[in-house]
Amino acid sequence: MTEPMILRARIPATADQVRRALTDPAALRVWLAEHVDADLEAGRFAFWGRTTPEGDAPHQRLLHAGERTLRFAWLLDGEETTSELTWEADGDHTVVTLSQTHFDFQDVITGKSIRGVLQTYWCLVLANLAEYLEGRPLTEKTDFTSAELRTSVEIAASPERIFESLTSSEAVTKWFGYPIEIEPYVGGRFAMGGFDNDPDPAKILELEPARKLSIGWGENGIGTWELEGSGGKTRLTLVQSGFDESRPPYAAWGGIVAGLAELRRYHEVPNWQPILAA
């Protein structure tokens, strides 16, 4: 078995506020899942619904709940995995660490197992935890029961500023948290990891400054970003299309949507710092 996947997030809240958000059923139903059954004293912690991988029923089993730790088993694709969340105060923030077993990046590439979505799923979960505790609008969660991959957000910035942050290599690398190099013209390359590290980069199919950007991702289809400005704000709509609808690219989509949460914070939060820590 591979080593557990580890993610760390800086959450703008106290450790006690984080613990309440992670354990209170009413809070969990807002930022985590449609359905929640959480009673730590009774030994229960489960969540399910359309926005949970294999969320047709609760598949979690509480293993441990402490003042700074929550650990549960999670049955996914016939394997019992282990998810653990720990949290520690760090000044006026709290660092939340997520550990997830049974994640193999090959499952992201092949789509062989639903466990391939876990990395990007947890990235979006942690982003929404931060947004919830700051009182900001949440980013729309992935619907794992639908082949329609579409989301829309309003960002308090002009279309010109947002478009620049979608097409500048330096800006995208900053808010997405991963090296990306872009040739900002039709036919140009969009390379995850940079031109030297991506032998099969995506391609820019459409580019209309401050209005539209379309990127061809090969088997994962076409991602289209449309911008519409009004009153100093921008409605940004993202659609993924042209993929095999019997195998929606949920892992890739989850990463893009988690990035969208950070893009909005990048433009709106004073003294912005990324949620996911290096």
Side-chain angles (χ1 to χ4, degrees), residues 8-262:
R8 292 183 177 86
R10 296 184 72 255
I11 305 297
T14 67
D16 287 342
Q17 289 172 324
V18 168
R19 186 180 191 278
R20 284 195 295 272
L22 287 169
T23 57
D24 177 68
L28 289 163
R29 291 186 192 104
V30 175
W31 67 268
L32 178 63
E34 284 183 287
H35 309 294
V36 173
D37 178 15
D39 185 336
L40 302 188
E41 291 186 2
R44 300 198 310 273
F45 185 85
F47 53 95
W48 65 101
R50 295 176 301 111
T51 60
T52 299
E54 288 195 347
D56 57 308
H59 295 298
Q60 298 83 20
R61 177 171 58 87
L62 183 65
L63 299 175
H64 175 75
E67 283 301 308
R68 293 293 182 266
T69 304
L70 176 66
R71 184 166 61 253
F72 55 90
W74 187 359
L75 185 67
L76 284 167
D77 194 22
E79 292 277 353
E80 187 168 80
T81 77
T82 300
S83 307
E84 181 179 88
L85 290 151
T86 62
W87 52 97
E88 291 291 340
D90 181 19
D92 57 355
H93 285 66
T94 298
V95 175
V96 175
T97 301
L98 176 282
S99 171
Q100 175 68 60
T101 68
H102 294 77
F103 173 75
D104 186 339
F105 194 76
Q106 284 301 309
D107 290 333
V108 177
I109 298 170
T110 65
K112 179 181 177 181
S113 172
I114 188 63
R115 295 191 299 273
V117 309
L118 285 172
Q119 184 176 44
T120 57
Y121 167 78
W122 281 118
C123 286
L124 182 54
V125 163
L126 293 171
N128 271 335
L129 171 62
E131 301 286 48
Y132 171 79
L133 286 168
E134 277 192 306
R136 290 169 49 82
L138 302 187
T139 300
E140 187 175 5
K141 307 174 188 74
T142 299
D143 182 348
F144 291 100
T145 69
S146 175
E148 182 180 5
L149 304 183
R150 180 187 182 93
T151 192
S152 182
V153 298
E154 186 175 77
I155 302 176
S158 69
E160 290 78 13
R161 286 186 58 207
I162 294 172
F163 194 82
E164 170 67 16
S165 63
L166 292 175
T167 55
S168 160
S169 300
E170 180 181 358
V172 176
T173 295
K174 188 175 182 180
W175 60 259
F176 194 70
Y178 187 76
I180 295 175
E181 285 190 276
I182 303 168
E183 294 171 334
Y185 52 82
V186 173
R189 293 173 293 173
F190 190 105
M192 304 293 290
F195 296 139
D196 293 337
N197 298 310
D198 187 348
D200 188 24
K203 180 179 290 187
I204 294 179
L205 305 179
E206 295 181 86
L207 189 150
E208 300 178 33
R211 292 187 57 193
K212 187 176 185 179
L213 174 68
S214 290
I215 302 173
W217 296 101
E219 291 184 355
N220 285 339
I222 298 171
T224 300
W225 306 67
E226 295 186 333
L227 301 86
E228 184 177 354
S230 178
K233 298 182 179 181
T234 300
R235 171 62 58 180
L236 178 60
T237 300
L238 174 60
V239 178
Q240 193 81 1
S241 61
F243 51 83
D244 179 354
E245 293 192 3
S246 68
R247 298 175 60 187
Y250 291 131
W253 175 253
I256 293 170
V257 176
L260 185 60
E262 199 66 85

